[in-house]
Amino acid sequence: MNKAYLSVQATENPKEIYVDQTRTNVIINCLVPPTANKAPTPITVHVYGKDDKARVLSSIKNGSTLFIAGGKLRHDLKTREHSVHGGSIYPVDYQTFGIVNEVILGGRCIRGVDKSNDKEFRKTDSGFLITNQTLSVNTGKQQADLFNLYSINKHDDRYNLAELLATMTHKGTGLTICGRLTTDAWTDKATGQPKSSTKIQVQNMTLAPKPTTPGEVKPSNTMPAGSKPASLWGGQTLANESPHQDAMAAPKAIAADPWIKPEETQPAPEPVA
């Protein structure tokens, strides 16, 4: 499972690049709007398909606000850069559309959480629990992307997700999470250079079921042969367009980061080396 639904803003005009001698892709460098005390998240959007590429090149400009639906999130471990591939891209009006920042990933944890290691689990003086974990998500051909996750909540919250992430996940644990991209930015005290770390803040998680004895899986109900399903919604079918059609608008060149909204301030998790 790998799906991303993101509101982003283009930071430059789309560019067409050659994949090989006969194929091209279109890329758009964008920023995901920040939350409260966080920094914007840089992300590169990759567009495939002849019609989609032509539409993007003709309609999207530097400063355009966009909605990406169902793209695949990737993480280049060498460059530490995130990108979104495929999905549907729609120009939107930020004044009516608002911010969407939702990532759904399924994979396996690469380690257990050491509660004695402050970089993996810690309690703050203000009563927050913070857990860091890393998820390996299969990308095919025996390859995988690694995504840094974290969860944060008050120690007495009824749904103590940080504690669950720390105690229920181990090396090899199957895990599906729903979360949002967040980026912390700071200045290195030793070098004076700007640094940043992008993670996924876990908001919900589901553990994979434990293995059971192999057996035949039988359907819970069946339909007689030759029968037809009942007509739904008056026989209508879903059109191939955005569910947010009313919010669609021609792209506009506007000031950077129009989506910034105040949220409750939480302590920033420590970067994972």
Side-chain angles (χ1 to χ4, degrees), residues 3-205:
K3 293 288 184 181
Y5 301 85
L6 300 170
S7 299
V8 301
Q9 182 168 351
T11 57
E12 59 182 38
N13 292 337
K15 296 182 294 187
E16 191 169 17
I17 60 172
Y18 276 92
V19 179
D20 53 36
Q21 293 182 344
T22 59
R23 295 184 302 156
T24 63
N25 289 340
V26 170
I27 63 172
I28 318 168
N29 289 322
C30 300
L31 289 175
V32 179
T35 58
N37 58 338
K38 304 295 183 179
T41 299
I43 199 161
T44 303
V45 179
H46 292 251
V47 183
Y48 306 98
K50 182 178 179 180
D51 292 340
D52 288 337
K53 290 187 294 184
R55 177 174 57 84
V56 165
L57 288 170
S58 63
S59 64
I60 294 175
K61 307 297 180 185
N62 181 16
S64 297
T65 47
L66 314 169
F67 175 56
I68 303 169
K72 180 177 288 187
L73 184 67
R74 299 294 307 273
H75 178 217
D76 189 320
L77 195 59
K78 293 182 179 179
T79 63
R80 297 192 176 184
E81 294 177 349
H82 288 78
S83 57
V84 174
H85 298 251
S88 301
I89 302 175
Y90 305 99
V92 296
D93 183 346
Y94 75 92
Q95 294 179 321
T96 58
F97 192 83
I99 298 175
V100 179
N101 183 344
E102 183 173 292
V103 175
I104 303 171
L105 295 175
R108 293 192 176 276
C109 301
I110 68 169
R111 56 174 170 78
V113 176
D114 182 359
K115 286 191 173 183
S116 65
N117 185 342
D118 284 348
K119 290 186 177 181
E120 298 182 13
F121 179 84
R122 66 187 177 99
K123 300 179 181 179
T124 69
D125 294 337
S126 54
F128 284 94
L129 300 180
I130 303 173
T131 301
N132 290 291
Q133 178 61 280
T134 302
L135 190 69
S136 174
V137 178
N138 182 36
T139 59
K141 297 182 179 179
Q142 296 183 336
Q143 295 182 345
D145 286 344
L146 298 181
F147 294 94
N148 289 326
L149 316 175
Y150 81 95
S151 182
I152 180 171
N153 54 260
K154 284 282 192 177
H155 70 91
D156 56 353
D157 283 349
R158 185 173 182 179
Y159 183 37
N160 197 327
L161 193 56
E163 182 68 29
L164 290 173
L165 189 63
T167 58
M168 301 296 290
T169 61
H170 309 280
K171 183 177 181 180
T173 298
L175 181 67
T176 299
I177 64 97
C178 178
R180 62 183 178 184
L181 286 167
T182 63
T183 296
D184 291 297
W186 69 95
T187 301
D188 189 289
K189 294 181 180 179
T191 64
Q193 296 296 316
K195 299 286 186 179
S196 65
S197 174
T198 296
K199 298 182 182 181
I200 298 172
Q201 181 182 355
V202 179
Q203 296 173 307
N204 284 290
M205 73 177 201

